[in-house]
Amino acid sequence: MFSVSADVEDRGSSCRIRVGFNTVLNAKKEARRLNHDILRTFSTDGVHTFGDRMATIGIDLGTTYSAAAICRHVGDVRVIPNIEGQDITPSVVFFPETDSGDEEPLVGMMAKNSAASAPQCVVRSIKRMMGDKDFCYYSPNGHELRPEVISAFILKHIKKYVEVDLGEAVTDAVITVPAYFDDVRRTATKQAGRIAGLNVLQVFNEPTAVALAYGIGLQDVGRILVYDLGGGTFDVTLMHVHDGEFDVIATDGDPELGGDDFDREITRLVVADLARQGYVVDEDNEDILCAEIEEKAEILKRGLSNVPQSTAMFTIDGKNYRVRITREQFEQATHSLLERTRERTEILLESQHLNWADIDRLLMAGGSTRMPMVRQMLQQISGKSIGNEVNQDTAVSMGAAIYAKYLETENGRNTDERSPASVREEAPSIRISDVTSQSLGIVAKNPKTGEPENSIIIQRNTHIPAKYSDTYCTTIDNQRSINIQVTEGNDPELEYVRIVGEKTLPIPPHPKHSPIKVTIAYDIDQTVYVEVTDLVTDGALGTFEIDRADNLSEPEVQSLQKSVEGVAID
Ligand code: ADP
Ligand code: MG
């Protein structure tokens, strides 16, 4: 039995974060409140007017690329192209320095193309920072922008191009998140949607969206494994799909592993090659050159998915350098990254006491699965051939659109011109059951070591809604209060888990080692409730919801929503 501990240190620390190769952004130790006044100086957006029709869409808000789709009815799911006619849009925001000091962010390909010439004005991979309250980007115009606001700019850009395409106002959306995203990051994503002016029907797991895009309408799919290697994240999920039922069995992921990391390895190869040719890149002082290398690294990487070697040209100080990278070199340099995905995948199977023979379908999603070594590795370990069952770029947004349609119909809303009866008939008939991606517990002293540690109450991969209890005990005679710190994370060591809520509750005096029951309930919308009971008297000591201190407060969201409403975004 563990005892409830009263004191655990706050482990917040300051850090400097490198986003991409050379875009150095500062994260602050203290949570900085966004100064809303600065946003009021933002200029106003061009006003679009639409008819009465309102659209509900699915949005894949990716680390490196985002996409949007609409489902009018089953069988009619369409990815909406951006203004350049592309299905996917780089999740990149460029903040030009303006005369007025107002922010006029550019999103997408134009922003990505600006990265090489003005790397300090460009923010990429902001999804990796979602839910980090200590992170702010300092724009060249002197504004401090939280990840929710930068993501809101991306979402607003998407909303805008979708509205132009559809000729309808986009009001509601389902936004996808990696399955392993914790409560804080999910809430941050939802808030980003709201700041962008969207009614977020739900945040929805990316692998489930992939499975939906693939399995909707199929009678008997069976057990599927979704391997999703995107730009910044890796997710692997086991599901059971049968006749419209999508049951998540278990999920795992690595939030620090994606195509960006493969780019970084190519970047190293390029820098090494340039050094061999006599040019030593000064990574601390050659921002522009580093950004150019970073940009070309990704192009080289994509090239290597199709051809055995690819070449990039650099002109430095008037001299031309030709850098050639072979697929073999690349695969060697990134072997350990690929291995990390293999290990996670196999551990997930083992955790469910399954082997490859138990898997009926293997789905690959995420742009990075285009690298031939990914398919080879998966085919080799699974002994299965993998086709192109889903489109790597658009499956997530399509699944999100199908789910959005389902929720819209469930909620009794109809954005379809046809009769409500025919709409309901053609609405997707699905049932989704999900699991917790992170364990939940409390901080308690280990009786053997006396050290505080993470005592898990709800194990990860438990079906939600879930409600579990565990019994602890007081540590001293006549203890007058207990401090409950709710943890989220799978590791016993507190260093690797997040404290998501905390409350000190008074208790009646009892001898030491008196039992206390702690119950944690996990709702379908991912809300966590905690209930504490004194087992000596069987009396309730208190119930509380986790406080989400790492998220924006409701007034902050509303205020940012108003501010961002007036921002011109291209
Ligand atoms: P996310 O959802 O994380 O934004 P995506 O699924 O859109 O990511 O995938 C983007 C990643 O896929 C990027 O790292 C990109 O470089 C990589 N990628 C796209 N096409 C290819 C390709 N042909 N070969 C290798 N990597 C690719
Ligand atoms: Mg993705």
Side-chain angles (χ1 to χ4, degrees):
M1 197 189 283
F2 285 83
S3 50
V4 176
S5 112
D7 45 271
V8 163
E9 280 174 33
D10 179 358
R11 288 163 202 269
S13 61
S14 85
C15 52
R16 263 163 82 80
I17 293 168
R18 281 176 86 92
V19 175
F21 184 74
N22 204 34
T23 310
V24 181
L25 303 175
N26 293 315
K28 286 198 167 178
K29 185 169 188 242
E30 296 299 320
R32 298 279 296 260
R33 285 276 145 85
L34 187 62
N35 177 355
H36 298 164
D37 287 340
I38 54 144
L39 282 165
R40 278 200 208 110
T41 62
F42 286 173
S43 56
T44 46
D45 199 358
V47 179
H48 296 277
T49 47
F50 302 105
D52 293 341
R53 294 195 59 185
M54 292 176 296
T56 300
I57 61 169
I59 301 176
D60 167 11
L61 182 63
T63 313
T64 48
Y65 287 90
S66 295
I70 186 158
C71 171
R72 297 291 191 193
H73 51 88
V74 177
D76 181 7
V77 189
R78 185 169 74 92
V79 178
I80 297 159
N82 64 21
I83 16 217
E84 285 114 12
Q86 302 297 319
D87 284 349
I88 57 173
T89 299
S91 306
V92 182
V93 189
F94 172 56
F95 291 92
E97 199 171 344
T98 61
D99 292 340
S100 62
D102 295 347
E103 293 299 0
E104 291 170 16
L106 282 179
V107 179
M109 199 42 93
M110 280 196 292
K112 193 166 187 235
N113 291 342
S114 308
S117 55
Q120 307 301 343
C121 303
V122 171
V123 181
R124 45 208 303 178
S125 300
I126 195 64
K127 186 169 169 179
R128 283 184 159 175
M129 299 299 139
M130 288 297 267
D132 182 348
K133 73 174 187 329
D134 296 341
F135 181 89
C136 263
Y137 167 69
Y138 300 91
S139 80
N141 293 311
H143 299 151
E144 294 176 16
L145 303 169
R146 279 183 58 145
E148 291 90 332
V149 175
I150 295 169
S151 293
F153 290 153
I154 299 169
L155 289 166
K156 199 173 164 186
H157 172 85
I158 293 171
K159 179 177 184 302
K160 189 169 159 183
Y161 78 64
V162 171
E163 287 177 338
V164 169
D165 180 279
L166 297 176
E168 295 170 37
V170 169
T171 49
D172 296 11
V174 163
I175 304 175
T176 56
V177 290
Y180 64 80
F181 250 30
D182 59 18
D183 179 69
V184 174
R185 292 189 243 186
R186 282 166 196 273
T187 303
T189 305
K190 203 165 186 179
Q191 290 179 333
R194 290 181 54 208
I195 294 168
L198 291 164
N199 174 33
V200 182
L201 297 175
Q202 205 169 305
V203 289
F204 188 48
N205 287 342
E206 286 162 13
T208 315
V210 172
L212 206 52
Y214 168 74
I216 190 86
L218 297 182
Q219 291 296 308
D220 206 2
V221 179
R223 248 191 232 113
I224 64 171
L225 187 127
V226 183
Y227 174 104
D228 180 357
L229 187 61
T233 56
F234 170 64
D235 239 6
V236 57
T237 301
L238 253 171
M239 298 186 70
H240 190 261
V241 179
H242 177 77
D243 201 13
E245 294 193 1
F246 295 79
D247 286 325
V248 179
I249 303 167
T251 188
D252 198 359
D254 188 338
E256 306 293 335
L257 180 58
D260 286 354
D261 301 286
F262 289 78
D263 293 353
R264 213 160 288 131
E265 291 304 324
I266 288 230
T267 299
R268 288 206 182 105
L269 292 174
V270 172
V271 169
D273 197 316
L274 286 172
R276 258 194 307 276
Q277 295 183 48
Y279 192 87
V280 178
V281 180
D282 178 354
E283 290 183 27
D284 291 325
N285 294 307
E286 292 184 294
D287 283 6
I288 306 253
L289 175 60
C290 288
E292 188 189 343
I293 296 174
E294 185 191 344
E295 196 193 330
K296 289 189 175 161
E298 202 218 347
I299 298 168
L300 281 166
K301 177 185 76 173
R302 286 173 184 253
L304 291 176
S305 293
N306 296 318
V307 289
Q309 59 185 47
S310 68
T311 309
M313 293 299 296
F314 294 91
T315 306
I316 309 168
D317 298 339
K319 194 170 169 223
N320 291 329
Y321 296 86
R322 188 167 179 271
V323 174
R324 199 190 63 160
I325 308 284
T326 66
R327 191 187 285 172
E328 202 183 339
Q329 266 179 307
F330 174 57
E331 291 185 351
Q332 254 171 24
T334 55
H335 181 69
S336 62
L337 297 174
L338 190 68
E339 274 299 286
R340 275 163 63 190
T341 73
R342 183 188 63 75
E343 278 165 21
R344 287 260 171 180
T345 306
E346 294 196 317
I347 288 171
L348 184 74
L349 278 181
E350 279 165 25
S351 74
Q352 300 305 309
H353 312 290
L354 295 172
N355 54 48
W356 285 107
D358 301 313
I359 305 299
D360 299 295
R361 280 272 178 287
L362 226 162
L363 303 183
M364 288 196 312
S368 297
T369 59
R370 289 215 174 81
M371 295 185 290
M373 60 179 152
V374 173
R375 184 184 298 262
Q376 278 157 18
M377 181 274 286
L378 286 174
Q379 290 186 342
Q380 191 240 318
I381 60 171
S382 69
K384 293 174 195 300
S385 72
I386 307 167
N388 291 318
E389 282 85 356
V390 292
N391 179 310
Q392 280 120 320
D393 292 328
T394 55
V396 172
S397 63
M398 289 173 82
I402 296 167
Y403 193 57
K405 181 73 204 172
Y406 163 77
L407 289 177
E408 180 189 75
T409 318
E410 285 290 292
N411 295 345
R413 255 198 70 196
N414 177 19
T415 55
D416 203 308
E417 280 168 330
R418 293 158 312 141
S419 75
S422 71
V423 168
R424 183 155 271 287
E425 211 167 273
E426 289 186 42
S429 158
I430 48 183
R431 194 186 63 78
I432 304 232
S433 82
D434 232 316
V435 296
T436 54
S437 59
Q438 311 276 329
S439 304
L440 287 166
I442 63 165
V443 176
K445 271 191 188 135
N446 182 320
K448 285 195 193 119
T449 62
E451 292 298 316
E453 63 177 44
N454 178 23
S455 165
I456 293 172
I457 296 178
I458 300 184
Q459 294 287 346
R460 63 195 290 225
N461 290 327
T462 300
H463 269 101
I464 48 175
K467 192 173 180 181
Y468 284 84
S469 305
D470 214 339
T471 307
Y472 299 85
C473 63
T474 54
T475 50
I476 50 171
D477 285 329
N478 299 321
Q479 188 170 325
R480 297 315 303 260
S481 67
I482 48 165
N483 178 240
I484 304 283
Q485 290 178 296
V486 184
T487 58
E488 191 170 60
N490 307 319
D491 205 284
E493 281 186 43
L494 292 172
E495 206 178 325
Y496 305 109
V497 303
R498 201 199 277 255
I499 307 289
V500 290
E502 178 167 3
K503 190 146 189 155
T504 301
L505 300 165
I507 49 170
H510 297 308
K512 76 172 173 184
H513 296 151
S514 295
I516 304 272
K517 186 168 85 170
V518 180
T519 303
I520 301 186
Y522 205 109
D523 243 7
I524 199 85
D525 71 349
Q526 318 265 349
T527 314
V528 179
Y529 298 95
V530 184
E531 224 173 76
V532 187
T533 315
D534 173 358
L535 288 182
V536 177
T537 60
D538 219 13
L541 294 174
T543 302
F544 63 97
E545 209 176 300
I546 58 162
D547 57 5
R548 295 200 173 126
D550 288 353
N551 289 116
L552 294 166
S553 67
E554 185 54 29
E556 283 175 313
V557 172
Q558 285 178 14
S559 166
L560 286 167
Q561 200 172 22
K562 281 206 191 78
S563 311
V564 168
E565 216 174 75
V567 179
I569 292 177
D570 275 313

